[in-house]
């Protein structure tokens, strides 16, 4: 498979970090967009320039190999507890749901697409 890698230099210390994960690929032969199902793990904290950022939200896509179909929902950490917001349904969520179930790979159809971190104080 193809490995993608991109880096950016951070020149100042922001209060929030947002990582949009590349989870789609354009297929020139079929003129379609497919979903990248490769396993990708993400941490609950990130340290950049001696500042620690804590994960507080994860946007997830669930669906088959097509990037044009499926469903999005979000996990948000509120007062130290994770919650899943899925349309009008809101329910408590475990760290296993937030992390392990969103790494992708191993036949999973749920994948984290956007990660939100804020400066930990």
């Amino acid at each position: 498979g193809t490995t993608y890698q991109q880096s950016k230099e951070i020149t100042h210390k922001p209060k929030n970090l947002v990582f949009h994960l590349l989870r789609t690929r354009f297929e020139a032969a079929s003129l379609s967009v497919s979903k990248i199902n490769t396993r990708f793990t993400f941490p609950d904290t990130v340290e950049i320039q001696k500042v620690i950022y804590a994960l507080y939200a994860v946007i997830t896509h669930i669906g088959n190999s097509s990037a044009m179909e499926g469903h999005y929902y979000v996990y948000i950490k509120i007062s130290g507890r994770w919650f899943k917001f899925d349309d009008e349904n809101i329910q408590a969520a475990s760290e296993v749901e937030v992390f392990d179930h969103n790494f992708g790979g191993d036949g999973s159809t749920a994948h984290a697409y956007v990660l939100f971190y804020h400066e930990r104080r």
Side-chain angles (χ1 to χ4, degrees):
T2 304
T3 301
Y4 298 94
Q5 183 175 2
Q6 185 175 6
S7 63
K8 298 286 182 189
E9 181 179 349
I10 297 176
T11 58
H12 67 284
K13 298 176 183 178
K15 299 272 185 223
N16 296 287
L17 299 174
V18 178
F19 295 100
H20 179 220
L21 307 177
L22 178 63
R23 293 302 237 169
T24 59
R25 169 181 37 240
F26 177 70
E27 304 289 347
S30 61
L31 299 176
S32 64
V33 178
S34 64
K35 187 172 175 181
I36 298 172
N37 294 312
T38 307
R39 181 173 174 81
F40 175 80
T41 60
F42 52 89
D44 61 343
T45 60
V46 174
E47 183 176 342
I48 298 175
Q49 298 178 346
K50 298 182 182 179
V51 177
I52 297 176
Y53 296 89
L55 184 71
Y56 73 91
V58 178
I59 297 177
T60 298
H61 176 267
I62 188 164
N64 60 16
S65 61
S66 171
M68 306 309 285
E69 300 173 357
H71 182 68
Y72 289 90
Y73 50 88
V74 64
Y75 292 98
I76 301 175
K77 194 172 193 177
I78 301 169
S79 299
R81 294 183 55 209
W82 285 102
F83 293 88
K84 179 180 179 182
F85 292 77
D86 185 355
D87 294 333
E88 68 276 356
N89 300 313
I90 301 170
Q91 60 189 39
S94 70
E95 288 197 2
V96 169
E97 289 176 80
V98 175
F99 293 94
D100 297 344
H101 292 177
N102 286 304
F103 290 158
D106 301 326
S108 172
T109 61
H111 300 84
Y113 264 74
V114 185
L115 306 174
F116 297 85
Y117 291 84
H118 62 92
E119 183 178 348
R120 187 176 357 174
R121 296 176 187 239

